């Protein structure tokens, strides 16, 4: 069996608002009550479980998406008035990074988490787990 990431706990000061914002941006379903979590169903194999917390460090989450999905999510990001940037840290420059041959953008939510969306990933290019030509 291949090893797959199933879920991640995302700490939040307002789990309902944070989960709703992400689910809306990604245009994916969410569930208001899974015990103590508010779940965002990213795809058939990955759930982000937002949990109410007071103190926590910020985290970085990255989604690899198709060009069409990038355009749709980016449109919703801009329509929501969410500031974005071309680098993980720094000022919001309202630019898309294209250094890997695709599109790459970052935004920060009110909890301080950095969210990233990209269409091309350097991590997969030379991976021993990806067959040549994949």
């Amino acid at each position: 069996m291949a090893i797959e990431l199933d879920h991640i706990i995302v700490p939040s000061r307002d789990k309902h608002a944070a989960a709703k914002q992400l689910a809306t941006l990604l245009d994916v379903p969410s569930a208001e009550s899974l015990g103590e979590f508010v779940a965002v169903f990213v795809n058939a194999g990955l759930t982000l479980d937002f949990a109410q917390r007071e103190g926590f460090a910020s985290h970085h989450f990255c989604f690899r998406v198709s060009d069409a999905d990038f355009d749709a999510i980016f449109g919703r990001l801009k329509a929501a008035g969410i500031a974005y940037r071309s680098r993980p840290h720094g000022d919001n420059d309202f630019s898309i990074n294209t250094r890997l041959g695709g599109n790459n953008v970052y935004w920060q939510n009110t909890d301080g988490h950095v969210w990233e969306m990209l269409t091309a990933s350097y991590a997969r290019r030379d991976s021993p787990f990806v067959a040549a030509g994949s």
Side-chain angles (χ1 to χ4, degrees), residues 1-133:
M1 176 176 143
I3 298 172
E4 296 179 2
L5 182 63
D6 182 77
H7 68 278
I8 297 172
I9 308 252
V10 181
S12 180
R13 289 176 194 85
D14 184 342
K15 66 183 180 181
H16 298 282
K20 181 178 180 177
Q21 181 187 56
L22 184 64
T24 299
L25 286 173
L26 299 181
D27 193 26
V28 297
S30 63
E32 278 296 311
S33 180
L34 290 180
E36 72 174 90
F37 305 110
V38 177
V40 174
F41 302 103
V42 177
N43 58 42
L46 177 61
T47 303
L48 297 181
D49 293 329
F50 285 77
Q52 199 76 26
R53 301 287 188 263
E54 291 303 318
F56 52 85
S58 66
H59 300 289
H60 181 130
F61 302 92
C62 179
F63 301 105
R64 187 164 21 125
V65 299
S66 68
D67 289 328
D69 285 336
F70 184 95
D71 292 342
I73 295 166
F74 187 62
R76 289 188 290 271
L77 186 73
K78 291 193 312 183
I82 297 172
Y84 57 92
R85 58 187 179 259
S86 59
R87 300 277 181 202
H89 305 286
D91 295 332
N92 292 315
D93 58 11
F94 296 90
S95 296
I96 295 173
N97 190 321
T98 58
R99 75 184 181 280
L100 297 175
N103 291 322
N104 182 227
V105 70
Y106 303 83
W107 69 95
Q108 201 159 347
N109 72 1
T110 57
D111 289 317
H113 299 309
V114 175
W115 299 89
E116 177 183 4
M117 172 177 58
L118 53 77
T119 60
S121 176
Y122 69 88
R124 305 286 281 187
R125 289 184 182 178
D126 297 322
S127 172
F129 301 106
V130 177

